Amino acid sequence: MSAILLSGKEASSALLEGLKPEVAKLDPKLVVVQVGEDPASSSYIKQKFKACETVGMRSEHKHLPEDTSFEDLMSIIDNLNNDDDVTGFIVQLPLPKHLTDKEPEVNRAIDPKKDVDGFGAYNLGKMFLSKDYEDLPPATPSGIIALLEYYKIPVEGKHIVIVGRSNIVGKPIAVMLINRSATVTVCNSRTKDLAKITKQADILICAVGKAHFITKDMVKDGVVVIDVGVNRTDDGLKGDVDFKSIEPIASAITPVPGGVGPMTVTSLIRNCVRAKERQINN
Ligand code: GUN
């Protein structure tokens, strides 16, 4: 058996195409704030601007020096909150070391109406209630849901094992899947006897940030594998999943790159359109 390749590139290009008329009608604007020169962040931001260009959305890059102070960053956030021309904005993470501890405070400072990353407590809290309240859901989890929907992979009643418990992927995707009637187990890299649990997964979502952490002996035949990891190694970009050995026994699997990554970007664009719609209707 050979797995269906869950191409985020293909799904995102179809979804972006569908967003073009709304972008043309609503004319939203996205601002990306970057502090410093983290190469991975620069590459993600480039992809975000490319998607803006594809759908015809206005965008702006606020690129701040590495040694930007917390006070200066907060003042820029305040200006963006109060700028009526800005629909939504994100502060690209991770922040430089001297600001790492401030990340929760930074996320909290973003106006929930403009929080197109969906990282703030207000949008996370609404998402917690039910899927009907996912107005601005976090981009990677909502990209994973969109990818499963695009390939018509049902989640209801399935045992979904998530490896990784981060605030931006593991925890919110668990909630979104529970709200879609999946049976969800959340593990992390320190879970005892991890393989015993991952082997039970109908759908396995891995977001631990360790290259090839999930090996063939940890999955069952026919599993659907969603690999969120993007790990820079001497051999190039690698996922959290050992694609080569697992692909022959999986029923479907995401590639890295070209799987979850493009879906995250597409969800961000979709959130920007939704934010503008809600701002107009308010
Ligand atoms: N760093 C890695 N992924 C993301 C994301 O989706 N949003 C932001 N702001 N930073 C990130």
Side-chain angles (χ1 to χ4, degrees):
M1 190 170 67
S2 189
I4 294 167
L5 198 68
L6 303 174
S7 168
K9 260 192 197 165
E10 185 189 312
S12 70
S13 118
L15 293 171
L16 287 175
E17 200 54 40
L19 287 168
K20 279 182 183 174
E22 284 174 274
V23 171
K25 191 172 103 194
L26 300 167
D27 192 27
K29 178 180 173 183
L30 171 70
V31 175
V32 177
V33 180
Q34 180 181 12
V35 187
E37 305 297 336
D38 177 59
S41 291
S42 297
S43 154
Y44 294 142
I45 289 169
K46 221 161 126 186
Q47 290 162 30
K48 289 170 187 178
F49 287 132
K50 200 167 156 220
C52 287
E53 226 174 88
T54 303
V55 294
M57 189 157 90
R58 292 183 296 138
S59 61
E60 186 184 330
H61 190 183
K62 278 209 182 296
H63 197 170
L64 312 174
E66 182 89 21
D67 61 356
T68 300
S69 69
F70 175 62
E71 290 71 26
D72 284 352
L73 179 59
M74 291 301 260
S75 144
I76 283 161
I77 290 174
D78 194 42
N79 289 341
L80 291 168
N81 282 338
N82 290 304
D83 183 342
D84 287 342
D85 192 42
V86 175
T87 308
F89 65 98
I90 67 168
V91 178
Q92 189 68 28
L93 303 177
L95 290 170
K97 279 204 178 72
H98 68 287
L99 295 172
T100 305
D101 289 350
K102 302 285 188 189
E103 280 180 7
E105 231 172 304
V106 166
N107 283 335
R108 220 166 50 214
I110 299 173
D111 183 336
K113 292 196 292 294
K114 298 191 176 190
D115 171 26
V116 284
D117 251 335
F119 289 171
Y122 179 82
N123 288 309
L124 285 174
K126 278 180 84 177
M127 183 207 71
F128 196 93
L129 298 174
S130 95
K131 76 186 180 60
D132 298 333
Y133 290 98
E134 287 170 6
D135 297 324
L136 296 177
T140 299
S142 95
I144 293 170
I145 301 274
L147 187 64
L148 291 168
E149 284 174 358
Y150 182 83
Y151 283 96
K152 301 191 170 31
I153 296 172
V155 298
E156 192 178 306
K158 295 288 167 65
H159 185 192
I160 303 185
V161 176
I162 300 164
V163 189
R165 42 118 190 258
S166 70
N167 285 338
I168 66 176
V169 185
K171 285 186 214 168
I173 187 72
V175 170
M176 290 172 90
L177 291 167
I178 289 167
N179 285 340
R180 287 163 174 79
S181 305
T183 303
V184 178
T185 304
V186 183
C187 305
N188 60 73
S189 58
R190 287 185 225 162
T191 297
K192 286 208 182 84
D193 214 349
L194 180 62
K196 193 172 159 195
I197 302 170
T198 54
K199 265 187 175 165
Q200 295 169 31
D202 300 315
I203 300 176
L204 177 66
I205 300 175
C206 193
V208 286
K210 293 185 182 184
H212 291 186
F213 182 76
I214 301 289
T215 48
K216 187 183 166 195
D217 52 309
M218 296 170 78
V219 298
K220 70 176 181 190
D221 281 6
V223 64
V224 172
V225 179
I226 306 290
D227 189 350
V228 186
V230 183
N231 306 290
R232 275 149 222 275
T233 72
D234 292 342
D235 275 344
L237 286 189
K238 301 276 176 220
D240 288 352
V241 173
D242 182 10
F243 183 94
K244 213 165 147 197
S245 71
I246 292 180
E247 189 268 342
I249 58 168
S251 61
I253 187 166
T254 57
V256 175
V260 173
M263 298 307 292
T264 298
V265 175
T266 298
S267 300
L268 175 68
I269 304 287
R270 190 171 59 179
N271 274 356
C272 234
V273 171
R274 283 182 180 161
K276 183 77 185 209
E277 252 166 9
R278 295 179 68 78
Q279 287 162 22
I280 289 171
N281 292 336
N282 266 345

